[in-house]
Structure formats: C-alpha cells, structure tokens
Amino acid sequence: MADLNTYNSVQENFFVEINVDGSYTRFSDYQKDYTVSGSNYNALGSLLSITNTKTEIRASNQQLTIGISGIPTANLAMVQNAEIKGSPVTVHRALFDPVSAELLGTPEQNPTIKFKGMITNYAVEEYWDDSGNSGFSLILQVQSIIGQLLTKVAGRRTNPNDEKK
C-alpha cells in the first residue's frame, strides 16, 4: 500500500448514511453510485454539501451541516412526514485517484468513518429557477455522539408522586 505522499493529487468524497426509523438512506457527493462496505450509495454529486469539521486527536463535541438540494416538489411531503430528528448519521470519507477514479490503497482503512452523530434539527428551503419551476433544499444539523453524551437533563420533577418521594 502506498503512502499518500506518492500521489500527485487526491480526490476526497463523502458517503452519508441516515437511519430514519429503521430505513437506511445512503447518498454521496461522488460522481457515480458507489458501494462502501456492501452498501450502495446514490450519487448526488454537487447537490450534496457538507460543512468542514475539525480534525482533533481527542474526541470532541462538534456539529456538522449536511445540505441536499434539488429535491423535487413531489417529494416534499415525504421529507416533511419523516421523523428525521433523532436519526443517527454516519459519514464516511473515501480517498480516490482523480485520474483513474479508483479507491486509493492507503496504509489506513479507506474509506474511513469521518463523523458519527444524530440529527438535532432540520430546515426545508424552497427555491425557484428562471423558468418558474420550484425545488427544495433540505438542511440537516447533526451533532456528534460526544455532544449527545454531554447533553444532560437536569431539573426537579414536580409531579405529586415524585414530590412525596
């Protein structure tokens, strides 16, 4: 396996897996459909955007924003009726050779898990093109697993049974 220093250029792509009520949705910013660890990821290309995360030695509380644009109007009801909040998200990062479009042979595992977390919020935005057709973008706010562990429920229970205890 070659070191990354031996390549003139490296292409980085992200593969996103969302589990909504036991149903997995998989998509990527790669230019064609691709299989990672036996699971097929649909190619969204430039319709998928993912914000940067910090690379740290120690696990920390981070947030990630995933944007999916180009959702047809006919699919809006499906997006709005899904229980998206609280769904687990896994983002894999894969390194490719941009010339041959082959997965790089690296000393480390490729692809690797870049981010794991849960959807804490989402927004749907509508846009119109010049010809009057509309489409939607879905923006997902994802908090890392560390952030979920740090979220504490604090307070005093005031129902009559707890008050007696």
Side-chain angles (χ1 to χ4, degrees):
M1 292 189 189
D3 188 356
L4 287 179
N5 292 329
T6 62
Y7 295 99
N8 292 331
S9 60
V10 174
Q11 177 180 329
E12 177 184 53
N13 291 101
F14 295 100
F15 297 84
V16 180
E17 177 181 78
I18 302 174
N19 180 357
V20 180
D21 292 333
S23 175
Y24 287 92
T25 303
R26 297 177 180 95
F27 47 87
S28 74
D29 64 351
Y30 194 52
Q31 66 262 20
K32 62 182 180 179
D33 291 353
Y34 198 79
T35 302
V36 174
S37 302
S39 300
N40 189 36
Y41 289 78
N42 296 323
L44 296 182
S46 61
L47 298 176
L48 175 65
S49 64
I50 299 176
T51 58
N52 293 330
T53 58
K54 293 186 284 183
T55 302
E56 299 176 334
I57 294 174
R58 176 176 268 189
S60 64
N61 182 14
Q62 295 189 36
Q63 284 202 340
L64 181 72
T65 302
I66 299 172
I68 305 167
S69 58
I71 300 172
T73 306
N75 294 345
L76 180 62
M78 181 177 67
V79 170
Q80 289 178 329
N81 293 332
E83 294 292 331
I84 296 175
K85 282 188 179 181
S87 298
V89 175
T90 303
V91 178
H92 295 270
R93 180 180 69 175
L95 302 174
F96 292 90
D97 183 347
V99 176
S100 66
E102 294 293 323
L103 200 63
L104 296 180
T106 60
E108 295 80 23
Q109 182 180 356
N110 186 26
T112 184
I113 294 176
K114 174 74 174 165
F115 191 89
K116 276 189 146 187
M118 255 182 193
I119 297 174
T120 56
N121 206 356
Y122 71 96
V124 179
E125 297 177 357
E126 182 178 20
Y127 59 87
W128 297 84
D129 63 12
D130 295 335
S131 60
N133 296 323
S134 68
F136 292 89
S137 295
L138 177 64
I139 291 88
L140 305 172
Q141 297 293 326
V142 184
Q143 185 178 33
S144 69
I145 292 174
I146 301 299
Q148 292 294 315
L149 293 173
L150 294 174
T151 304
K152 296 179 182 177
V153 177
R156 181 176 163 191
R157 296 179 59 127
T158 58
N159 65 43
N161 292 336
D162 287 338
E163 287 289 323
K164 289 178 184 177
K165 288 181 184 176

